Amino acid sequence: MIISMSPGATAEDIASVVDTVTARGCEAYVSQGVSRTIIALSGAVEQIGSLDLRGVAEVRRVSAPYKLVSREGHAERSTVWVGPVPIGPGTVTLIAGPCAVESPQQTLEAAQMARAAGAVLLRGGAFKPRTSPYAFQGLGEAGLKILAEVGAETGMPVVTEVVDARDVDLVASYADMLQVGARNTQNFTLLRAVGRSGRPVLLKRGMSGTIEDWLLSAEYIAQQGNLRVVLCERGIRTFETATRNTLDISAVPVAQRLSHLPVLVDPSHSGGHRDLVLPLSRAAIAVGADGIIVDVHPRPSQALCDGAQALVHDDLRELAETVTAFAPLVNRIPAISPLTLTGHAARVPVGA
Amino acid sequence: MIISMSPGATAEDIASVVDTVTARGCEAYVSQGVSRTIIALSGAVEQIGSLDLRGVAEVRRVSAPYKLVSREGHAERSTVWVGPVPIGPGTVTLIAGPCAVESPQQTLEAAQMARAAGAVLLRGGAFKPRTSPYAFQGLGEAGLKILAEVGAETGMPVVTEVVDARDVDLVASYADMLQVGARNTQNFTLLRAVGRSGRPVLLKRGMSGTIEDWLLSAEYIAQQGNLRVVLCERGIRTFETATRNTLDISAVPVAQRLSHLPVLVDPSHSGGHRDLVLPLSRAAIAVGADGIIVDVHPRPSQALCDGAQALVHDDLRELAETVTAFAPLVNRIPAISPLTLTGHAARVPVGA
Amino acid sequence: MIISMSPGATAEDIASVVDTVTARGCEAYVSQGVSRTIIALSGAVEQIGSLDLRGVAEVRRVSAPYKLVSREGHAERSTVWVGPVPIGPGTVTLIAGPCAVESPQQTLEAAQMARAAGAVLLRGGAFKPRTSPYAFQGLGEAGLKILAEVGAETGMPVVTEVVDARDVDLVASYADMLQVGARNTQNFTLLRAVGRSGRPVLLKRGMSGTIEDWLLSAEYIAQQGNLRVVLCERGIRTFETATRNTLDISAVPVAQRLSHLPVLVDPSHSGGHRDLVLPLSRAAIAVGADGIIVDVHPRPSQALCDGAQALVHDDLRELAETVTAFAPLVNRIPAISPLTLTGHAARVPVGA
Amino acid sequence: MIISMSPGATAEDIASVVDTVTARGCEAYVSQGVSRTIIALSGAVEQIGSLDLRGVAEVRRVSAPYKLVSREGHAERSTVWVGPVPIGPGTVTLIAGPCAVESPQQTLEAAQMARAAGAVLLRGGAFKPRTSPYAFQGLGEAGLKILAEVGAETGMPVVTEVVDARDVDLVASYADMLQVGARNTQNFTLLRAVGRSGRPVLLKRGMSGTIEDWLLSAEYIAQQGNLRVVLCERGIRTFETATRNTLDISAVPVAQRLSHLPVLVDPSHSGGHRDLVLPLSRAAIAVGADGIIVDVHPRPSQALCDGAQALVHDDLRELAETVTAFAPLVNRIPAISPLTLTGHAARVPVGA
């Protein structure tokens, strides 16, 4: 059950609703939607009865197992803002950057490539969850520092993965958006922690996660009061070995029909090959994704992580053209950012 | 090993090559490509040595397990013609029609809807392979007759499924293109029979077929001398249950890189829901598919087969707009047909 | 809906029932069960009403989509006899032989190995469905002849695959049991043809077939009046690449609960490695399979097909011990055959 | 590369080896195997050259990506001891208990059922990772306390899941063995934390984890010096929906061939239905699993978690008989425990 508060509801109104439903045997989870507060109830919802309280706009049963992220109780699709950058139904937001932060120089070059291609958010991994313990595990806080500096230098808010609930505050002190990776999609401890951080969250789909599993993971974040969740399809595991994963392109419209949250596509990790990134990016925009997130690297052959799928210079020009050309066909504009538009002079010397 | 004959090679030249390689212990499979004949060799290929024979343009080792359909020995992508309708790298070909032929009236209405949406080939099933023996199995030859008449009436060459090698001649006597369905992708008897028919073949991917399996199935057809094969991605079986199958959109560029054959997408059977067909069609064109094949039905709720995924009137206008808008962005034009362009008066009264 | 006839029902009783239900708008499919005739109805079953006819023992709605093979209308589990050899709930039946019949000598040696290990049915492929058209496709009728001769020589009824509906009569003229392979599990033409043959059928599960799909395929055979169907689990396709397929061991008890048909396991094709065959055979017997079917070859390294999974001499002694030791723990006895028990002198010179 | 120290190697010997290889540009990971210390090297292993140092028994290249857990460098299979209870190649160890600890009474009843069935370790969840945030999440520390008390009362060391690296010390203060669940198999933070705990670890396979992924996850634990890892196959995600997951029974012999670690099977979570647990348990022991772990509940219909798969009284007697009957056939004995043998009087009043 979802209670939608009216836009003008006050904190007292909300508190009063929570008190009332709690007294009737329910648990209440308050979350801030795009334009209004919504409250999910669990427990003895059948005993709620009528709720004739100030500020209550609508009470609705939600048949889906996820409540706060469901479109049943929140019909308009949400836009999540990362600083001045929107991710939502009117735009195609391009996020790009190196898979892993390796050095100030490599990160800056990658960021400049990303920005030249129209990216408005910078991605880059400092904590890398790797299948093998002998693989490069990321630079940790040093990487976060580099990323934040390069983001400031190039005028792009940064998104980076967090893999440990204990690191959420640390990562949030450097990053504008927190990413939860495919291997942690059911790390519920981590989901709750990023939920409490208040930062926008990029939630990747698990390798074997159904769309329902994925939305329930988003609900874990939302339950902590944080509805600034962006879903990201990145391929699922199937029997096909010609691609790294199988991009489930249908998951985009399905998730958008079931949930009000924005949905991105990661064509780099799904395909796993450079020459698939552009066609899959076109498919993603065409199918209605709210944006894409891609790997770039100035020298892929030397990359410490996933070089085979990183875009290089010419690819990026083509990617920029793709976004520009395809977005209007799905009634969107490429997301732009005041920060990158103004050239945004560097405040912090990178690698100092 | 693939021998490419020069465009001007004569039948004697080809016969001479076959005799020579056979004498050296190989089996030769002659197939007619877009602009030249190619010959696949198996057996003792390491003993072939040099082939300084008239008409031989090139001899090339092909590392892939499929030879005739591989791009290694046939770099330019092929266009398969179905009557006057091309399926290939320069166009986006729209195939539409009812999942099953149910009656002359329903088929004609569906065909008119298809044509209005820009379809240039008419699909429709007369032999329906159904998971349950209690489900509607198709009208058989009566259905073929209806389909052929409606195709003639509406100016669209027809494509229809054949499920039994014994029926290939019968079906070929009514149909312009033969379809091999997902359940028969490794029915090698049927593959050889459609190969021998000389008709263009629409080869669907198996539900659990890897891309390599699929190309090897195409090779079975090609080995019979028939390279007029069009591949069709229609979704694979995964753990996700929100869609009927999981459309493997990446399979399009991967198959196009590995094989010279055209690749279509079937968004109806992959998604299994009407509201997914349009987004998936956009994705298919954007990713570079050479066309799409969709289900239409004048009254989906009464359909005897797969009504949930059939497009109806408004959808079709949107589909037409989609093809028109997206094709140029991938450097293609919508395939057009002289038959539908001229209005093509009916030669045969439908349902007579 | 399933009508169970009483054991003493006559042909006239059955005909009378069929006439009655047909007159009321249903289609009737008559099939001969273990001890009684059962009749499946489709169509307007809600109009059947009471059926107070001679010979009718019970009328029961069957909720499963498959009817004749369902346990809902046929509670006791069936035993299928292949000549004097039972496959059913009281026994563990061992079927063994070469994956492909290659020569009289190889087949005879493999059969002798099989018999020494306790096998009572001989398997061997003459028509081999191969993913690649360049792989060995089997000896065809010459192979059938060898197989039949070796079966006679060694006292083992033979089971062999049929891949083409047109070959069913030919294959049935040599073989005691017809196998439908994994790639043909939804080749409905073939299913109907083996149904009409009257021969017992070994029906493998499709690589991506759900258990329900599999039982519906069995229903296609049963609808033709042939309930002598033995199901065979042989592994499904998953993301795991360490084994050829993933043996779905749970499918055995699940299928046995849903259907009265016997269920075998093929540990050779599921694992794909010789050293997995014995552990998987133990698991199969322990889980309650009604038998196992394994590949043997006198010289696996020279095998033309699937040598990596063929058992050789020492393995077979261990296999024999396994069957003997495990069968009693699941309240079964190893199936024995009067033919192999008596030594059964050869009637036909092999390879003559 | 793996260095096996001789059984009598001293701490100084080990330190000397580590110093030497570190000086040559490698990283060294020291882990304590069954009878000897082994050291994995990563980095510039090609520069190690000869290692003529005291205490070095063997230096071996390991081709697998996992080193410490590989059988290449540790041929004998390991036995992991949980208190006085062995899990390893000579025994079949039965672990049983409630899926979730709900109350002292329920836990005690379940434990008594488990013990009567021959279980020597008690399982029970206090921190429950649930797909839905609205599902019962476990009692937390209160649950740990109940579990420890009941374990002491019934003479069974306890195994329980830990889902948060921050809780490892807390859980280790109550539990004899730490479980890492399927959803956390690639939560590398957690893997390292349980590695450092020194406690034996039960590592479940991920829902979409290949066997290689699983062994690499075990390597994360081993790298922290902890080789007391027990692998647990619990079913993978496939297209089949008749069972909760698809038990990959072949994974047992495959993992045992690749790794020296013990391998258990969880028939409760793989099948997801009570009536599958016994057949799958038989299959698990027959295939060579080193033990099984099952859910029991005194009143499954009231269970807060996974009641459908919990065994009840009669099932448990049958399970006990199964273990007793099948273990000898695979040359094992049922694992017994001095604690349960002696009746082990309760030291702590349960639920006090």
Side-chain angles (χ1 to χ4, degrees):
Chain A
M1 191 171 273
I2 287 285
I3 301 168
S4 299
M5 302 300 291
S6 57
T10 63
E12 289 81 45
D13 295 343
I14 294 168
S16 163
V17 169
V18 170
D19 288 349
T20 303
V21 299
T22 305
R24 294 184 192 171
C26 286
E27 285 177 272
Y29 301 92
V30 179
S31 211
Q32 183 59 48
V34 180
S35 58
R36 56 180 67 196
T37 296
I38 60 179
I39 306 173
L41 304 189
S42 69
V45 293
E46 68 288 347
Q47 292 174 28
I48 286 299
S50 74
L51 267 183
D52 193 12
L53 295 171
R54 200 175 54 198
V56 170
E58 191 182 19
V59 179
R60 181 188 282 265
R61 257 180 205 287
V62 173
S63 57
Y66 38 84
K67 310 295 175 190
L68 293 163
V69 307
S70 168
R71 247 183 122 165
E72 288 182 62
H74 190 296
E76 78 263 53
R77 297 199 56 232
S78 294
T79 295
V80 170
W81 292 87
V82 184
V85 175
I87 305 176
T91 44
V92 174
T93 304
L94 178 59
I95 308 177
C99 186
V101 171
E102 300 167 14
S103 71
Q105 184 59 25
Q106 164 258 8
T107 305
L108 180 60
E109 288 182 57
Q112 286 165 338
M113 291 162 63
R115 192 170 75 170
V120 286
L121 292 174
L122 177 64
R123 61 152 296 160
F127 295 99
K128 299 298 303 172
R130 302 301 295 278
T131 301
S132 167
Y134 300 105
F136 175 60
Q137 306 276 320
L139 296 181
E141 186 170 359
L144 293 176
K145 206 170 164 219
I146 293 170
L147 187 69
E149 288 170 351
V150 169
E153 165 96 3
T154 53
M156 292 191 278
V158 300
V159 49
T160 197
E161 182 162 358
V162 55
V163 298
D164 188 336
R166 292 169 297 192
D167 293 336
V168 166
D169 288 345
L170 173 73
V171 176
S173 74
Y174 288 99
D176 301 284
M177 183 179 212
L178 304 178
Q179 177 180 318
V180 175
R183 291 171 182 79
N184 280 309
T185 308
Q186 293 197 311
N187 179 342
F188 303 120
T189 299
L190 182 62
L191 295 175
R192 288 199 191 91
V194 299
R196 283 189 301 270
S197 78
R199 276 275 188 280
V201 178
L202 183 67
L203 177 64
K204 293 216 167 177
R205 182 178 179 189
M207 271 178 256
S208 61
T210 63
I211 294 171
E212 184 173 303
D213 289 346
W214 192 22
L215 296 178
L216 282 165
S217 292
E219 186 82 4
Y220 267 96
I221 300 171
Q223 257 200 1
Q224 304 299 321
N226 185 354
L227 264 178
R228 300 172 68 197
V229 181
V230 174
L231 302 167
C232 182
E233 160 65 31
R234 44 78 72 205
I236 57 174
R237 220 164 223 191
T238 72
F239 61 81
E240 179 58 70
T241 55
T243 46
R244 183 173 178 182
N245 296 283
T246 296
L247 178 63
D248 182 6
I249 196 83
S250 316
V252 176
V254 170
Q256 288 174 339
R257 192 184 63 221
L258 297 172
S259 169
H260 57 89
L261 300 177
V263 184
L264 302 182
V265 166
D266 178 343
S268 304
H269 284 78
S270 42
H273 295 290
R274 182 169 307 115
D275 58 359
L276 289 175
V277 177
L278 273 160
L280 295 182
S281 295
R282 290 186 192 107
I285 301 173
V287 92
D290 300 305
I292 53 178
I293 177 168
V294 299
D295 286 10
V296 302
H297 198 286
R299 287 165 297 278
S301 63
Q302 298 168 30
L304 296 182
C305 180
D306 292 344
Q309 71 199 29
L311 297 180
V312 285
H313 292 279
D314 280 356
D315 307 320
L316 286 161
R317 200 186 49 243
E318 243 189 291
L319 180 63
E321 291 166 6
T322 290
V323 175
T324 308
F326 279 80
L329 294 197
V330 286
N331 300 315
R332 294 169 183 261
I333 55 165
I336 51 176
S337 163
L339 300 177
T340 53
L341 284 178
T342 58
H344 188 69
R347 289 163 305 188
V348 185
V350 173
Chain B
M1 192 171 272
I2 286 287
I3 300 168
S4 299
M5 301 300 291
S6 56
T10 64
E12 289 80 43
D13 294 341
I14 294 169
S16 162
V17 169
V18 170
D19 288 349
T20 303
V21 298
T22 307
R24 296 185 192 170
C26 287
E27 284 177 273
Y29 301 92
V30 179
S31 210
Q32 182 59 49
V34 181
S35 57
R36 55 180 67 193
T37 296
I38 60 178
I39 306 172
L41 304 189
S42 69
V45 292
E46 67 289 346
Q47 294 174 25
I48 287 299
S50 74
L51 266 183
D52 193 12
L53 295 172
R54 200 174 54 197
V56 170
E58 191 180 19
V59 179
R60 181 188 283 265
R61 258 180 204 287
V62 173
S63 57
Y66 37 84
K67 311 294 176 191
L68 293 163
V69 308
S70 167
R71 247 183 124 166
E72 289 183 61
H74 190 299
E76 76 264 53
R77 296 199 57 231
S78 295
T79 295
V80 171
W81 292 87
V82 184
V85 175
I87 306 176
T91 45
V92 174
T93 304
L94 178 58
I95 308 176
C99 185
V101 171
E102 300 167 14
S103 72
Q105 184 58 27
Q106 165 258 7
T107 306
L108 180 59
E109 289 182 58
Q112 287 165 338
M113 291 162 64
R115 192 171 74 169
V120 285
L121 292 173
L122 177 64
R123 61 153 295 161
F127 295 99
K128 300 298 304 172
R130 303 300 296 276
T131 300
S132 168
Y134 300 105
F136 175 60
Q137 306 277 321
L139 297 181
E141 185 170 3
L144 293 176
K145 207 169 164 220
I146 294 170
L147 187 69
E149 289 170 352
V150 170
E153 164 95 3
T154 54
M156 291 191 279
V158 301
V159 49
T160 196
E161 182 162 357
V162 56
V163 299
D164 188 335
R166 293 168 299 194
D167 293 337
V168 166
D169 287 345
L170 174 74
V171 177
S173 73
Y174 288 99
D176 302 285
M177 184 180 211
L178 305 178
Q179 177 179 318
V180 175
R183 290 171 183 81
N184 281 309
T185 307
Q186 294 198 311
N187 180 341
F188 303 119
T189 299
L190 183 61
L191 294 176
R192 287 200 191 90
V194 298
R196 283 189 301 270
S197 78
R199 277 274 189 279
V201 178
L202 183 66
L203 176 65
K204 292 216 168 178
R205 182 178 177 188
M207 272 179 255
S208 60
T210 62
I211 295 171
E212 183 173 304
D213 289 347
W214 193 21
L215 295 179
L216 283 165
S217 291
E219 186 82 4
Y220 267 96
I221 301 171
Q223 256 200 0
Q224 304 298 321
N226 185 354
L227 264 178
R228 299 172 69 198
V229 181
V230 175
L231 303 167
C232 183
E233 160 66 32
R234 45 76 73 205
I236 57 173
R237 221 164 223 189
T238 72
F239 61 83
E240 179 58 71
T241 55
T243 45
R244 184 173 178 181
N245 295 285
T246 296
L247 177 62
D248 182 6
I249 196 82
S250 315
V252 177
V254 170
Q256 289 174 339
R257 192 184 61 219
L258 296 174
S259 169
H260 58 89
L261 301 176
V263 184
L264 301 182
V265 166
D266 178 342
S268 303
H269 284 79
S270 42
H273 295 291
R274 181 169 307 114
D275 58 0
L276 288 175
V277 176
L278 273 161
L280 295 182
S281 295
R282 290 186 193 108
I285 301 173
V287 92
D290 300 304
I292 54 178
I293 176 167
V294 298
D295 286 10
V296 303
H297 197 286
R299 289 164 297 278
S301 63
Q302 298 167 32
L304 296 182
C305 179
D306 292 344
Q309 70 199 30
L311 296 181
V312 285
H313 292 279
D314 281 355
D315 307 321
L316 286 161
R317 201 187 48 245
E318 243 189 290
L319 180 63
E321 292 165 5
T322 289
V323 175
T324 308
F326 279 80
L329 294 197
V330 286
N331 299 314
R332 294 168 182 264
I333 56 165
I336 51 176
S337 163
L339 301 177
T340 54
L341 284 179
T342 58
H344 189 70
R347 288 163 305 186
V348 186
V350 173
Chain C
M1 191 172 272
I2 287 286
I3 301 168
S4 299
M5 302 299 291
S6 57
T10 64
E12 290 81 44
D13 295 342
I14 294 168
S16 163
V17 169
V18 169
D19 288 350
T20 304
V21 300
T22 306
R24 295 185 192 171
C26 287
E27 284 177 273
Y29 301 92
V30 179
S31 211
Q32 182 59 49
V34 180
S35 58
R36 55 181 67 196
T37 296
I38 61 179
I39 306 172
L41 304 188
S42 69
V45 293
E46 66 289 346
Q47 293 173 28
I48 286 300
S50 74
L51 266 182
D52 192 12
L53 294 171
R54 200 176 52 198
V56 170
E58 191 183 18
V59 179
R60 180 189 284 265
R61 259 180 203 287
V62 174
S63 58
Y66 38 85
K67 311 294 177 193
L68 293 163
V69 307
S70 168
R71 247 183 122 164
E72 288 183 62
H74 190 298
E76 76 264 54
R77 298 198 56 229
S78 294
T79 296
V80 171
W81 292 86
V82 184
V85 175
I87 306 177
T91 44
V92 174
T93 303
L94 178 59
I95 308 177
C99 185
V101 171
E102 300 168 14
S103 73
Q105 184 59 25
Q106 166 257 7
T107 306
L108 180 59
E109 287 182 57
Q112 287 165 336
M113 291 162 64
R115 193 171 74 170
V120 286
L121 293 173
L122 177 65
R123 61 153 295 161
F127 294 99
K128 299 299 304 173
R130 302 300 296 276
T131 300
S132 167
Y134 300 106
F136 175 62
Q137 306 276 321
L139 297 180
E141 186 170 0
L144 294 176
K145 206 169 164 221
I146 293 170
L147 187 69
E149 287 170 352
V150 169
E153 164 95 2
T154 53
M156 292 191 278
V158 302
V159 49
T160 197
E161 182 162 358
V162 56
V163 299
D164 188 335
R166 293 169 298 194
D167 294 337
V168 166
D169 287 345
L170 173 74
V171 177
S173 74
Y174 289 99
D176 301 284
M177 184 180 212
L178 304 178
Q179 178 180 317
V180 175
R183 291 172 181 79
N184 280 309
T185 307
Q186 293 197 310
N187 179 342
F188 303 120
T189 299
L190 182 62
L191 294 177
R192 287 199 191 90
V194 298
R196 283 190 300 270
S197 77
R199 276 275 188 278
V201 178
L202 183 67
L203 176 64
K204 292 216 168 179
R205 181 177 179 188
M207 270 178 258
S208 61
T210 63
I211 294 171
E212 183 172 305
D213 290 346
W214 192 22
L215 296 178
L216 282 164
S217 292
E219 186 81 4
Y220 267 96
I221 301 171
Q223 256 200 0
Q224 303 298 321
N226 185 354
L227 264 178
R228 300 171 68 198
V229 180
V230 175
L231 303 168
C232 182
E233 160 66 30
R234 44 77 72 206
I236 57 174
R237 222 165 222 190
T238 71
F239 61 81
E240 179 58 70
T241 55
T243 46
R244 184 173 178 182
N245 295 284
T246 296
L247 177 63
D248 182 5
I249 196 83
S250 316
V252 176
V254 170
Q256 288 174 339
R257 193 184 62 220
L258 297 173
S259 169
H260 57 89
L261 300 177
V263 185
L264 302 183
V265 166
D266 178 343
S268 304
H269 284 78
S270 43
H273 295 291
R274 182 169 308 115
D275 59 0
L276 288 175
V277 176
L278 273 160
L280 295 182
S281 295
R282 290 186 193 108
I285 301 172
V287 91
D290 300 306
I292 53 178
I293 177 168
V294 298
D295 286 11
V296 302
H297 198 285
R299 288 165 296 279
S301 63
Q302 297 167 32
L304 297 181
C305 179
D306 292 344
Q309 71 198 30
L311 296 181
V312 285
H313 292 279
D314 281 355
D315 307 321
L316 286 161
R317 201 187 47 244
E318 243 189 291
L319 180 63
E321 291 166 4
T322 289
V323 175
T324 308
F326 279 79
L329 294 198
V330 286
N331 300 314
R332 293 168 183 263
I333 55 165
I336 50 175
S337 164
L339 301 178
T340 53
L341 283 180
T342 58
H344 190 69
R347 289 163 305 186
V348 186
V350 173
Chain D
M1 191 170 274
I2 287 284
I3 301 168
S4 299
M5 302 300 291
S6 56
T10 63
E12 289 81 44
D13 295 341
I14 295 168
S16 163
V17 169
V18 170
D19 288 350
T20 303
V21 299
T22 306
R24 296 184 192 170
C26 286
E27 284 178 274
Y29 301 92
V30 179
S31 212
Q32 183 60 48
V34 180
S35 57
R36 56 180 68 194
T37 295
I38 60 179
I39 305 173
L41 304 189
S42 70
V45 293
E46 67 288 345
Q47 293 174 26
I48 286 299
S50 73
L51 266 182
D52 192 13
L53 294 172
R54 201 175 53 198
V56 171
E58 192 181 18
V59 179
R60 180 188 283 266
R61 260 181 202 288
V62 173
S63 57
Y66 37 85
K67 311 294 175 191
L68 294 164
V69 307
S70 168
R71 245 182 125 166
E72 290 183 61
H74 191 299
E76 77 263 52
R77 296 199 57 232
S78 295
T79 295
V80 171
W81 292 86
V82 185
V85 176
I87 306 176
T91 45
V92 174
T93 304
L94 178 58
I95 308 177
C99 186
V101 171
E102 300 168 13
S103 71
Q105 184 58 27
Q106 165 258 7
T107 305
L108 180 60
E109 287 183 58
Q112 287 165 338
M113 291 162 64
R115 193 171 73 170
V120 285
L121 293 173
L122 177 64
R123 61 153 296 160
F127 294 99
K128 300 298 304 173
R130 302 301 295 277
T131 300
S132 167
Y134 300 106
F136 175 61
Q137 306 276 322
L139 297 181
E141 186 171 0
L144 293 177
K145 206 170 165 220
I146 293 170
L147 187 69
E149 289 169 351
V150 170
E153 164 95 3
T154 54
M156 291 191 278
V158 301
V159 49
T160 196
E161 182 162 358
V162 55
V163 298
D164 188 335
R166 293 169 298 194
D167 293 337
V168 166
D169 288 344
L170 174 73
V171 177
S173 73
Y174 288 99
D176 301 285
M177 185 180 209
L178 305 178
Q179 178 180 317
V180 175
R183 291 172 181 80
N184 280 310
T185 308
Q186 293 197 311
N187 179 342
F188 303 119
T189 299
L190 183 61
L191 294 176
R192 288 200 192 91
V194 298
R196 282 190 300 271
S197 79
R199 276 275 190 278
V201 177
L202 184 67
L203 176 65
K204 292 214 168 180
R205 182 177 177 189
M207 272 180 257
S208 61
T210 62
I211 295 171
E212 183 172 306
D213 289 348
W214 193 20
L215 296 179
L216 282 165
S217 292
E219 186 82 4
Y220 267 96
I221 300 171
Q223 257 200 0
Q224 304 298 321
N226 185 354
L227 264 178
R228 299 171 67 197
V229 180
V230 175
L231 303 167
C232 182
E233 160 66 31
R234 45 76 72 204
I236 57 174
R237 222 165 221 191
T238 72
F239 61 82
E240 178 58 70
T241 55
T243 45
R244 183 173 178 182
N245 296 285
T246 296
L247 178 61
D248 182 5
I249 197 83
S250 316
V252 176
V254 170
Q256 288 174 340
R257 193 184 60 219
L258 296 173
S259 169
H260 58 89
L261 300 176
V263 185
L264 301 183
V265 166
D266 178 343
S268 303
H269 284 78
S270 42
H273 295 292
R274 181 169 307 115
D275 59 0
L276 289 175
V277 176
L278 272 160
L280 295 182
S281 295
R282 289 186 194 108
I285 301 173
V287 92
D290 301 304
I292 53 178
I293 177 168
V294 298
D295 286 10
V296 303
H297 198 285
R299 289 165 297 278
S301 63
Q302 297 167 32
L304 297 182
C305 179
D306 293 343
Q309 70 200 30
L311 297 181
V312 285
H313 291 279
D314 281 356
D315 306 322
L316 286 161
R317 201 187 47 245
E318 243 188 290
L319 180 63
E321 292 166 6
T322 289
V323 174
T324 308
F326 279 79
L329 294 197
V330 286
N331 299 315
R332 293 169 184 261
I333 55 166
I336 51 175
S337 162
L339 301 177
T340 55
L341 284 180
T342 58
H344 190 70
R347 287 164 304 188
V348 187
V350 173

